[in-house]
Amino acid sequence: MKIAVVVPMLNEREALPALLEHLLMLKRQCADILLVDGGSLDGSAAFARALGFPVLDCVRGRARQMNAGAQATASDALLFLHADTRLPVQGLEQVQAALAEGAVWGRFDVHIEGRSPWLRLVALLMNLRSHWSGIATGDQAIFVRRAAFDAVGGFPDQPLMEDIELSKRLKRLAKPTCLRGPAVTSGRRWETRGVWRTIVLMWRLRWAYWLGASAEALAERYR
């Protein structure tokens, strides 16, 4: 089953060399690669194109960018990879095996890379929460069969919690397959804002979302 790896990006020039090296490895494993740029001002798109990577220009917004990337490829399955997340070396093989066994969608356990020792606890809680709830976050490299992605209408056009909403919709079709991996993601978001401050903020935002707050209002609070 052909897998397309869709990567939304915005002003990722500094991180691009490492990202593109990782994507080249995935390309050698026969994945289709598509970067979707949301209007970067730092030359990200030009840099990636100069190294031979396909880049799709799109209106800014992670959900919109990932939907545009999905529409631009004809692959049988989609894997959405954040620009600061890396799959394990055999990650694509794990996804292929899961799909061959009938998985409709799924995600990886995650390891958060960074200086703070608390990031291990954050990753553990994320993985436990995801196992318990069946909800995946973008940091966990969500993968899905194209037919299922199309059936639920793709990512909702909203500025935050698009991964949670997609998970809720996909859960109506099937339970997620949880791959141990782990995928490795950067801890810069937590370390920049403060680990515990970020934990509390994200839990408050998720709780408000479950209670019916709009994604637009929550995005303002997040910013």
Side-chain angles (χ1 to χ4, degrees):
M1 182 173 289
K2 193 71 171 178
I3 299 174
V5 178
V6 177
V7 186
M9 67 174 183
L10 180 68
N11 297 324
E12 295 288 351
R13 176 63 182 83
E14 184 177 342
L16 268 182
L19 171 62
L20 297 182
E21 182 179 356
H22 182 68
L23 294 179
L24 184 59
M25 178 192 75
L26 299 181
K27 184 177 181 180
R28 288 170 178 162
Q29 296 175 22
C30 298
D32 287 335
I33 305 295
L34 181 59
L35 294 146
V36 188
D37 187 68
S40 295
L41 301 176
D42 64 352
S44 292
F47 181 81
R49 288 189 177 109
L51 293 179
F53 287 85
V55 180
L56 178 66
D57 294 316
C58 180
V59 176
R60 178 176 179 174
R62 182 173 284 168
R64 293 177 181 178
Q65 290 170 240
M66 291 188 289
N67 284 338
Q71 292 172 6
T73 176
S75 295
D76 306 303
L78 304 160
L79 189 150
F80 299 97
L81 189 70
H82 285 186
D84 57 1
T85 300
R86 306 289 180 264
L87 296 183
V89 174
Q90 296 181 327
L92 275 183
E93 293 181 17
Q94 293 179 44
V95 173
Q96 287 278 19
L99 294 171
E101 292 173 3
V104 173
W105 72 289
R107 67 11 165 231
F108 287 84
D109 275 352
V110 69
H111 168 76
I112 304 175
E113 198 171 54
R115 298 182 302 275
S116 174
W118 292 111
L119 293 176
R120 292 186 179 182
L121 177 60
V122 175
L124 175 63
L125 293 176
M126 285 176 61
N127 295 331
L128 289 175
R129 182 194 69 225
S130 186
H131 276 281
W132 172 74
S133 66
I135 298 295
T137 65
D139 294 324
Q140 295 175 296
I142 296 171
F143 61 91
V144 58
R145 292 177 183 266
R146 173 176 295 279
F149 185 77
D150 291 343
V152 300
F155 285 95
D157 187 7
Q158 58 190 56
L160 199 66
M161 307 293 179
E162 74 286 342
D163 45 6
I164 291 178
E165 189 60 36
L166 177 70
S167 297
K168 289 167 60 179
R169 296 177 182 182
L170 288 172
K171 279 178 62 178
R172 297 168 191 158
L173 301 180
K175 293 182 179 179
T177 296
C178 302
L179 301 180
R180 294 295 183 180
V184 178
T185 195
S186 170
R188 62 182 178 177
R189 181 172 77 242
W190 288 273
E191 292 183 330
T192 298
R193 297 186 174 199
V195 174
W196 286 105
R197 181 184 178 190
T198 303
I199 292 172
V200 172
L201 172 64
M202 294 309 299
W203 275 100
R204 289 177 64 184
L205 293 179
R206 288 192 179 98
W207 181 246
Y209 188 68
W210 283 107
L211 292 177
S214 72
E216 290 73 20
L218 295 179
E220 288 297 325
R221 290 172 59 183
Y222 180 75
R223 286 191 285 268

